């Protein structure tokens, strides 16, 4: 425990009940005492740099460059990704990798370079190592995308893990994105970003950092090219970013910089170079394909903090039915659990939960349950008793089970970095499935405490298995939630093998997409937080987590009707569409905000239902290519500097551009369009990009544009799949992909490819892969639209 944690504990006392506050401070002192005795004192340190090159050892895909005080291993993999590790660091073991490290590219060889350096030349990238340990990443054309200066270590004289620092330079025009879910993005401004998953402790907004999902993953976009860099260390650290400046001082450019400081762990990284689509394809092949959510999970979810009874759930669902609003899932929070708050239902308030689940399912509504990692430490709690008997809980350096404050009192925490514990925990979801739940959301799994307002629950000295290697919480903290998600995903695969699991995790790390998605956590209620919600989703997508979304309406607080409606309109175009209501903060269903909001919200909800086949297609494409559903507007044109700076609009797949309203009182807004012809989907007016256009954004809708030539799968009026074709410009063609999957199983549907072309005055739409007529009804739009100014 550090000083920041203790300060947070003391502040929490005034925010919770007296008894709970005392427990919070007591737990904080316990963590501090455990760390004082369980962590070695650093004492004196000595600094070290690599030194000069002594010799090299070529090997498959690269080799080893030996310096006087360190070794550097370089590997170019067959998927085009480049790995290098200092001090003998290898790609494995790694929580980020999906399986084994990719095979080396046999065509890449280590060869001499000028000035005593060495280089590895591959098809997509050249890596140059200077004689003192600087590492440059260049395009095949020789453009330098990134230059890592020689690293520096600080090693305890008495032994122990070394701290290290890696300073990197990028082009003066480069822009930084990623680092997990950051509220200040999507383009990351200059500043320091901590790499330590943290429950915000309150409703969070743009000024809060870190949040629940931090990753040492950067995507850097510059005129010369795009690259993704991943520093594979799970320890606490800080990234300090500073954008460059062109013509800074006597006409010379000032390079952008990234300085990474880590408290420990290996100094190793992966770099991928290419277009954004190619980069994320390589990233997905390395860290795993995104999990495919069941089709219903791409519809509308409603979560409630305060669903205190079966009657309350029925009331809310009946309200959606009565007002003709689509609803696909209801999320139950801790209110449906008993005092133990894990895998045990409160039989007084929810006496017939399986019956309720069956009733809702007949109306097409699934139940989703919250699951937290904290297990109340009370004898007689079945989960606690079984975990104790199986030695499943995290222990401290003295061998005692660690207790923290969660929910009703003291709790213990499974060690998810142990395969045996994951298997045991995964089997516990059988109880949830037996009650009729169709999906699960993991909360407080940084891990942190709810009633102690974001307090950490485990000391840094707590011991973890770490897959048999052994270590402490300093290394395990950031992957704790990732391993919990793995336990649930693998358990559900065994318990319900016929269905794709639906799993959300508030916290996570690189590779979390293998098991499901995430949501924004307790995002604040307000206009700045609405803008931050979009930044979080875009940033996570660029880190390989495509299925994400915010609490629409915010967590707690009292949104104005306008703010609530604009949140609904934004959320209806995001991968996870989750509205949030709180009985404790006032009702939040659409009909509670008046008839005007209700009617406009109905339009947004019905449009989401209409676009469901498109979202299903995007989910399948994300699984196969790693491309996020929601993409920055520069996705297909990263060389366009104006687009790189645009953070208030996004692409939904290849076909749509969405321009949400993120400020109050707006009825018109400027939209920057990428290259090509774009149609306003309401008026069908055509606009030629690249350009900035001013369009109407009344309270009834947000601007949405369709790319000319796009072929979108949509839901027709009869409920069947229909092709919505936006006419290509004269003399040009169009195309689109369709994956017709409406189920929950593991069958891989065939991808249908369609083309659209003009034949005189007629627009011909054909199925490309088999030829002939389309398999679905076709509706052409935009053919008669007038051109915008």
């Amino acid at each position: 425990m550090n000083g920041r944690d203790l300060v947070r504990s003391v502040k929490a006392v005034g925010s919770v009940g007296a008894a709970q506050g005392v427990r919070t401070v007591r737990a904080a002192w316990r963590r501090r005492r455990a760390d004082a005795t369980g962590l070695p004192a650093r004492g004196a340190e000595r600094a070290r740099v690599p030194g000069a090159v002594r010799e090299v050892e070529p090997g498959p895909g690269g080799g080893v460059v030996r310096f006087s005080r360190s070794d550097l291993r370089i590997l170019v993999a067959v998927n085009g990704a480049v790995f290098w590790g200092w001090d003998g660091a290898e790609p494995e073991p790694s929580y980020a990798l999906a399986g084994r490290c990719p095979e080396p590219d046999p065509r890449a060889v280590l060869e001499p370079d000028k000035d005593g350096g060495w280089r590895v030349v591959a098809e997509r990238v050249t890596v140059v190592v200077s004689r003192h340990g600087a590492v440059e990443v260049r395009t095949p054309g020789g453009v330098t995308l990134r230059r890592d200066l020689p690293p520096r270590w600080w090693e305890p004289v008495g032994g122990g893990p070394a701290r290290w620092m890696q300073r990197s330079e990028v082009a003066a025009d480069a822009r930084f994105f990623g680092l997990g879910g950051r509220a200040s993005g999507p383009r990351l401004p200059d500043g320091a970003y901590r790499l330590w998953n943290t429950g915000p402790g309150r409703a969070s907004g743009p000024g809060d950092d870190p949040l629940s999902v931090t990753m040492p993953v950067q995507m850097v976009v510059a005129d010369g090219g795009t690259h993704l860099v991943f520093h594979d260390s799970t320890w606490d650290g800080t990234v300090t970013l500073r954008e460059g400046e062109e013509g800074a001082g006597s006409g010379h450019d000032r390079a952008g910089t990234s300085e990474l400081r880590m408290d420990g762990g290996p100094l190793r990284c992966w770099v991928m170079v290419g277009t954004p689509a190619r980069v994320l394809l390589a990233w997905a092949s390395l860290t795993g394909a995104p999990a495919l959510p069941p089709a219903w999970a791409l519809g509308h979810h409603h979560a409630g903090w305060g669903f205190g009874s079966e009657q309350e759930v029925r009331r809310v669902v009946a309200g959606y039915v009565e007002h003709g609003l689509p609803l696909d899932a209801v999320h139950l929070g801790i209110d449906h659990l008993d005092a133990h708050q894990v895998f045990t239902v409160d039989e007084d308030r929810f006496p017939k939960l399986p019956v309720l689940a069956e009733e809702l399912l007949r109306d097409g509504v699934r139940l989703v349950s919250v699951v937290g990692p904290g297990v109340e430490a009370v004898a007689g709690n079945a989960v606690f008793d079984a975990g104790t008997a199986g030695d499943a809980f995290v222990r401290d350096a003295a061998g005692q089970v660690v207790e923290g404050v969660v929910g009703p009192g003291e709790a213990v925490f499974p060690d998810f970095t142990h395969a045996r514990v994951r298997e045991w925990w995964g089997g516990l979801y059988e109880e949830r499935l037996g009650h009729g739940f169709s999906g699960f959301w993991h909360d407080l799994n940084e891990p942190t405490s709810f009633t102690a307002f974001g307090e950490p629950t485990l000391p840094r000295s707590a011991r973890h298995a770490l897959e048999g290697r052994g270590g402490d919480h300093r290394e395990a903290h950031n992957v704790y939630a990732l391993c919990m998600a793995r336990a649930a995903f693998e358990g559900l695969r065994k318990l319900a093998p016929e269905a794709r699991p639906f799993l959300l995790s508030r916290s996570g790390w690189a590779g979390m997409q293998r098991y499901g998605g995430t949501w924004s956590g307790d995002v604040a209620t307000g206009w700045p937080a609405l803008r931050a919600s979009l930044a979080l989703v875009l940033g996570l997508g660029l880190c390989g987590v495509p299925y994400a979304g915010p609490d629409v309406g915010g967590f707690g607080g009292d949104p104005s009707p306008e703010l609530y409606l604009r949140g609904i309109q934004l959320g209806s175009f995001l991968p996870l569409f989750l509205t949030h209501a709180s009985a404790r903060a006032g009702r939040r269903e659409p009909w509670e905000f008046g008839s005007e909001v209700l009617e406009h919200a109905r339009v947004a909800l019905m449009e989401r239902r209409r676009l469901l086949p498109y979202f299903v297609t995007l989910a399948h494409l994300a699984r196969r290519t790693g491309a996020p559903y929601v993409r920055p507007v520069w996705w297909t044109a990263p060389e366009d500097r104006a687009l790189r700076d645009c953070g208030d609009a996004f692409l939904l797949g290849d076909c749509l551009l969405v321009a949400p309203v993120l400020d109050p009182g707006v009825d018109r807004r400027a939209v920057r369009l990428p290259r090509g012809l774009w149609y306003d989907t309401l008026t069908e007016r055509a606009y030629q990009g690249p350009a900035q256009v001013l369009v109407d954004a009344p309270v009834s809708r947000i601007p949405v544009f369709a790319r000319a030539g796009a072929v979108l799968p949509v839901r027709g009026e009869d409920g069947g799949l229909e092709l919505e074709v936006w006419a290509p410009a004269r003399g040009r063609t169009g195309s689109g992909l369709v994956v017709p999957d409406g189920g929950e199983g593991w069958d891989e549907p065939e991808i249908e490819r369609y083309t659209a072309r003009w034949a005189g005055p007629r627009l011909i739409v054909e199925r490309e892969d088999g030829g002939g007529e389309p398999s679905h009804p076709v509706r052409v739009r935009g053919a008669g639209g007038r051109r915008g100014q």
Side-chain angles (χ1 to χ4, degrees):
M1 178 182 182
N2 59 25
R4 282 177 290 188
D5 296 334
L6 184 59
V7 169
R8 288 166 61 119
S9 302
V10 174
K11 287 183 176 180
V13 175
S15 304
V16 299
Q20 189 66 40
V22 170
R23 283 198 297 268
T24 299
V25 173
R26 185 183 299 128
W29 279 111
R30 279 204 308 262
R31 289 192 300 274
R32 184 170 185 176
R33 188 168 59 249
D35 288 345
T37 58
L39 292 177
R42 294 201 66 89
E45 296 179 322
R46 53 173 170 258
R48 174 169 61 88
V49 295
V53 170
R54 290 188 301 137
E55 60 182 0
V56 299
E57 182 182 313
V64 178
V65 182
R66 303 193 186 280
F67 297 83
S68 58
R69 289 182 289 276
S70 186
D71 294 343
L72 174 66
R73 177 176 295 280
I74 301 177
L75 167 71
V76 179
V78 290
N79 66 351
V82 179
F83 169 85
W84 66 78
W86 289 94
D87 281 359
E90 299 280 356
E92 300 176 48
S94 170
Y95 279 106
L97 299 189
R100 301 302 303 272
C101 172
E103 293 295 318
D105 185 346
R107 299 169 297 176
V109 297
L110 187 63
E111 59 187 32
D113 194 42
K114 60 183 180 181
D115 299 327
W118 292 80
R119 68 180 182 179
V120 179
V121 179
E123 179 182 2
R124 301 176 189 172
V125 65
T126 297
V127 181
V128 179
V129 182
S130 78
R131 61 192 181 94
H132 289 293
V135 181
E136 287 191 13
V137 177
R138 299 175 182 171
T139 67
V143 176
T144 299
L145 298 179
R146 188 179 195 90
R147 183 172 188 265
D148 281 8
L149 302 180
R152 182 178 295 268
W153 295 265
W154 288 269
E155 301 171 329
V157 173
R163 297 183 296 119
W164 53 265
M165 182 269 283
Q166 178 68 73
R167 182 179 173 87
S168 308
E169 296 177 345
V170 297
D173 66 284
R175 299 290 182 261
F176 296 101
F177 300 85
L179 294 182
R182 303 288 173 166
S184 58
R187 169 189 165 188
L188 298 174
D190 291 357
Y193 300 87
R194 192 179 176 197
L195 299 169
W196 187 256
N197 293 345
T198 303
R202 63 186 184 285
S204 59
D208 291 303
D209 189 273
L211 295 178
S212 297
V213 182
T214 68
M215 300 183 196
V217 180
Q218 298 176 32
M219 183 174 282
V220 185
V221 184
D223 287 356
T226 299
H227 72 276
L228 181 147
V229 60
F230 166 54
H231 288 90
D232 193 356
S233 172
T234 65
W235 287 60
D236 194 356
T238 302
V239 181
T240 303
L241 303 177
R242 184 186 181 192
E243 291 182 353
E245 184 179 353
E246 294 179 299
S250 303
H252 296 287
D253 291 346
R254 176 173 58 79
T257 61
S258 168
E259 183 178 282
L260 175 61
R261 291 178 177 267
M262 299 296 289
D263 286 351
L267 202 176
R268 57 184 180 180
C269 75
W270 288 89
V271 175
M272 282 133 267
V273 174
T275 65
R278 174 169 284 182
V279 162
L280 283 184
L281 176 62
W283 178 240
S285 71
L286 187 71
T287 62
L292 184 66
W296 61 263
L298 295 165
H300 173 219
H301 302 237
H302 186 75
W305 178 32
F307 282 164
S309 67
E310 293 180 3
Q311 291 71 28
E312 177 66 13
V313 175
R314 287 190 173 93
R315 182 198 69 80
V316 171
V317 174
Y320 275 93
V321 174
E322 177 186 349
H323 293 94
L325 302 176
L327 180 64
D328 297 276
V330 170
H331 293 223
L332 299 187
I334 59 174
D335 300 277
H336 82 285
L337 300 172
D338 74 0
H340 299 314
Q341 295 198 358
V342 61
F343 296 116
T344 46
V345 172
D346 187 323
E347 299 289 349
D348 293 330
R349 290 180 292 174
F350 289 83
K352 298 180 179 180
L353 193 52
V355 175
L356 174 65
E358 185 177 352
E359 290 176 4
L360 297 183
L361 188 58
R362 287 198 292 266
D363 293 328
V365 179
R366 272 79 172 178
L367 279 182
V368 179
S369 171
V370 66
V371 177
V375 177
E376 189 182 15
V378 175
N381 174 358
V383 178
F384 173 74
D385 292 343
T388 300
D391 190 21
F393 301 122
V394 175
R395 295 178 178 272
D396 61 20
Q400 300 298 310
V401 173
V402 176
E403 293 188 359
V405 178
V406 171
E410 302 292 334
V412 293
F413 300 86
D415 182 5
F416 295 116
T417 69
H418 196 304
R420 172 177 52 78
V421 176
R422 288 196 298 268
E423 183 176 7
W424 165 71
W425 185 267
L428 297 178
Y429 288 77
E430 184 175 14
E431 183 271 349
R432 302 279 85 190
L433 294 174
H435 279 95
F437 287 105
S438 300
F440 307 93
W441 54 288
H442 290 174
D443 202 3
L444 307 176
N445 57 343
E446 291 80 10
T448 190
S449 170
F450 176 75
T451 52
F453 288 82
E455 269 300 288
T457 54
L458 295 174
R460 290 171 179 251
S461 58
R463 305 299 299 173
H464 291 266
L466 291 168
E467 317 309 324
R469 294 180 288 111
D472 59 43
H473 198 63
R474 293 175 297 174
E475 183 177 356
H477 174 86
N478 280 334
V479 295
Y480 187 84
L482 174 74
C483 294
M484 181 183 179
R486 177 181 176 182
F489 185 85
E490 293 176 348
L492 291 168
R493 287 293 308 268
K494 293 179 181 179
L495 295 168
E498 72 287 349
R500 302 194 294 259
F502 173 71
L503 189 63
L504 296 177
S505 179
R506 188 172 87 166
S507 186
W509 202 66
M512 65 181 294
Q513 74 277 357
R514 299 191 294 263
Y515 312 118
T518 185
W519 84 105
S520 61
D522 300 342
V523 66
T525 299
W527 292 98
L530 182 64
R531 186 177 294 270
S533 296
L534 175 57
L536 286 162
V537 175
L538 283 167
L540 286 164
L542 294 176
C543 292
V545 185
Y547 185 69
D551 277 344
V552 171
F555 181 84
D558 186 17
S560 67
E562 181 189 11
L563 173 61
Y564 181 80
L565 179 58
R566 293 307 195 187
I568 287 270
Q569 291 168 341
L570 168 61
S572 65
F573 289 98
L574 297 180
L576 172 62
F577 182 20
L578 174 65
T579 52
H580 185 272
S582 172
R584 295 180 174 93
R587 298 296 178 194
R588 292 275 202 82
E589 288 76 35
W591 54 89
E592 302 290 346
F593 291 86
S595 59
E596 183 181 15
V597 170
L598 175 61
E599 289 308 308
H600 298 331
R602 179 181 290 109
V603 171
L605 288 164
M606 294 304 294
E607 180 65 3
R608 174 57 173 246
R609 176 61 58 90
R610 193 181 76 89
L611 289 175
L612 187 58
Y614 184 48
F615 276 93
V616 169
T617 294
L618 293 177
H620 278 275
L621 296 179
R623 178 167 179 78
R624 301 184 191 205
T625 69
Y629 315 15
V630 168
R631 308 163 187 178
V633 291
W634 47 259
W635 177 259
T636 57
E639 72 282 355
D640 188 327
R641 296 190 179 189
L643 295 179
R644 291 208 295 262
D645 295 338
C646 177
D648 62 354
F650 59 91
L651 297 175
L652 182 59
D654 288 330
C655 299
L656 298 178
L657 187 151
V658 182
V661 173
L662 305 174
D663 296 296
V666 171
D667 59 8
R668 299 199 82 196
R669 63 152 293 173
V671 181
R672 186 165 293 281
L673 299 174
R675 183 172 52 249
L677 189 67
W678 295 85
Y679 294 100
D680 184 315
T681 57
L682 182 68
T683 66
E684 299 193 14
R685 176 178 294 190
Y687 296 87
Q688 184 66 48
Q692 180 170 282
V693 299
L694 188 64
V695 295
D696 290 334
V699 70
S700 60
R701 72 178 187 99
I702 58 176
V704 179
F705 296 84
R707 190 190 301 273
V711 179
L712 273 80
V714 298
R715 192 172 186 263
E717 293 182 0
D718 62 354
L721 196 151
E722 180 179 284
L723 300 181
E724 182 174 275
V725 181
W726 288 90
R730 292 287 177 173
R732 295 188 175 273
T733 61
S735 63
L737 303 175
V738 179
V739 183
D741 170 35
E744 303 180 32
W746 294 95
D747 293 339
E748 291 284 350
E750 180 184 0
I751 296 180
E752 301 176 5
R753 305 174 186 272
Y754 293 93
T755 59
R757 58 181 175 85
W758 288 104
R762 297 179 61 236
L763 184 64
I764 307 297
V765 180
E766 297 176 313
R767 183 163 175 175
E768 184 182 63
D769 43 0
E773 294 293 321
S775 305
H776 315 283
V778 174
R779 183 161 64 99
V780 177
R781 299 187 64 187
R786 56 197 178 102
R787 190 171 296 275
Q789 300 298 316

